[in-house]
């Protein structure tokens, strides 16, 4: 199943976790530490009230840096953060999760030193993967696995989704660090 199809079938929690996972993997571009979005992840559990999402979102926004906003990848990450809906209604979260998917793939495409042969990331989301660059391929796999895990395991899949996101964040942090050293 393509990423587009998985997003279309995801429930509210799956959509929120999918968008949050994309944002979480891009935290190195926002100047955040590895724990900055952890409270938002916690608000996706059954015991958390919907109002906690909005409160925790504002706390995270207040802690993330606006430095480097002239860089296209950083700008895309900031747009993902600013677009997070204050509530978790399925319709709002679906639009955000879909936009995060596109933005995160585009960020990975911008940061990959290898060329991606596709004209846009949209074809990747639809399942056409020939000539895909390694960083984009890995991000696409992570997005698909997060949605599959949550669809198959519900709340129990949140821990695995977070692990996948953490792995992706470490990869992106290394890429950003290497890029900074090369530019400096």
């Amino acid at each position: 199943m393509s990423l587009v199809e998985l997003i279309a079938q995801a429930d509210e929690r799956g959509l929120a976790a999918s968008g949050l996972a994309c944002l979480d993997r891009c935290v190195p571009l926002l100047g955040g530490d590895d724990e900055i979005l952890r409270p938002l992840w916690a608000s996706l559990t059954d015991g958390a009230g919907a109002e906690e999402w909005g409160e925790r979102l504002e706390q995270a926004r207040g802690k993330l840096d606006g430095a480097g906003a002239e860089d296209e990848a950083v700008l895309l990450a900031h747009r993902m953060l600013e677009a997070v809906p204050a509530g978790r209604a399925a319709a709002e979260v679906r639009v955000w999760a879909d936009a995060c998917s596109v933005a995160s793939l585009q960020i990975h495409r911008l940061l990959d030193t290898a060329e991606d042969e596709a004209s846009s990331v949209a074809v990747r989301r639809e399942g056409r993967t020939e000539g895909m660059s390694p960083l984009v391929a890995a991000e696409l796999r992570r997005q698909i696995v997060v949605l599959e895990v949550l669809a198959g395991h519900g709340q129990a899949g949140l821990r695995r989704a977070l692990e996948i996101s953490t792995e992706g964040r470490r990869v992106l942090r290394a890429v950003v660090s290497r890029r900074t050293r090369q530019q400096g």
Side-chain angles (χ1 to χ4, degrees), residues 13-30:
R13 178 181 288 128
L15 292 166
S18 174
L20 184 55
C22 288
L23 179 60
D24 198 3
R25 287 189 295 275
C26 295
V27 159
L29 294 168
L30 298 171

Side-chain angles (χ1 to χ4, degrees), residues 70-135:
E70 67 282 349
D71 181 276
E72 187 176 356
V74 174
L75 186 60
L76 285 169
H78 277 285
R79 286 182 186 155
M80 278 196 289
L81 177 62
E82 292 308 313
V84 180
R88 284 193 356 227
E92 293 175 83
V93 179
R94 185 174 312 283
V95 170
W96 174 66
D98 193 56
C100 283
S101 169
V102 171
S104 186
L105 286 166
Q106 185 61 28
I107 286 167
H108 284 75
R109 185 179 182 164
L110 289 166
L111 297 176
D112 202 334
T113 56
E115 189 68 28
D116 189 322
E117 296 175 11
S119 59
S120 75
V121 296
V123 299
R124 302 307 186 201
R125 290 171 24 96
E126 294 165 359
R128 292 177 282 186
T129 58
E130 316 77 44
M132 193 171 5
S133 66
L135 201 58

Side-chain angles (χ1 to χ4, degrees), residues 5-76:
E5 293 167 324
L6 287 169
I7 290 172
Q9 293 179 5
D11 65 7
E12 176 187 305
R13 178 181 288 128
L15 292 166
S18 174
L20 184 55
C22 288
L23 179 60
D24 198 3
R25 287 189 295 275
C26 295
V27 159
L29 294 168
L30 298 171
D33 65 37
D34 290 349
E35 300 297 316
I36 196 89
L37 296 178
R38 199 59 84 118
L40 274 173
W41 281 101
S43 71
L44 295 177
T45 63
D46 283 336
E51 68 282 349
E52 290 179 55
W53 172 267
E55 292 169 11
R56 293 173 181 183
L57 170 62
E58 286 312 310
Q59 290 171 357
R61 281 182 176 150
K63 294 176 183 174
L64 291 169
D65 187 6
E70 67 282 349
D71 181 276
E72 187 176 356
V74 174
L75 186 60
L76 285 169

Side-chain angles (χ1 to χ4, degrees), residues 173-184:
R173 191 173 304 283
V175 168
V176 169
S177 177
R178 183 180 66 231
R179 182 178 179 215
T180 302
R181 282 192 310 272
Q182 290 173 346
Q183 291 175 348

Side-chain angles (χ1 to χ4, degrees), residues 144-160:
I144 289 170
V145 171
V146 163
L147 285 162
E148 288 174 344
V149 165
L150 291 163
H153 303 286
Q155 180 180 334
L158 284 172
R159 180 179 301 276
R160 179 69 182 126

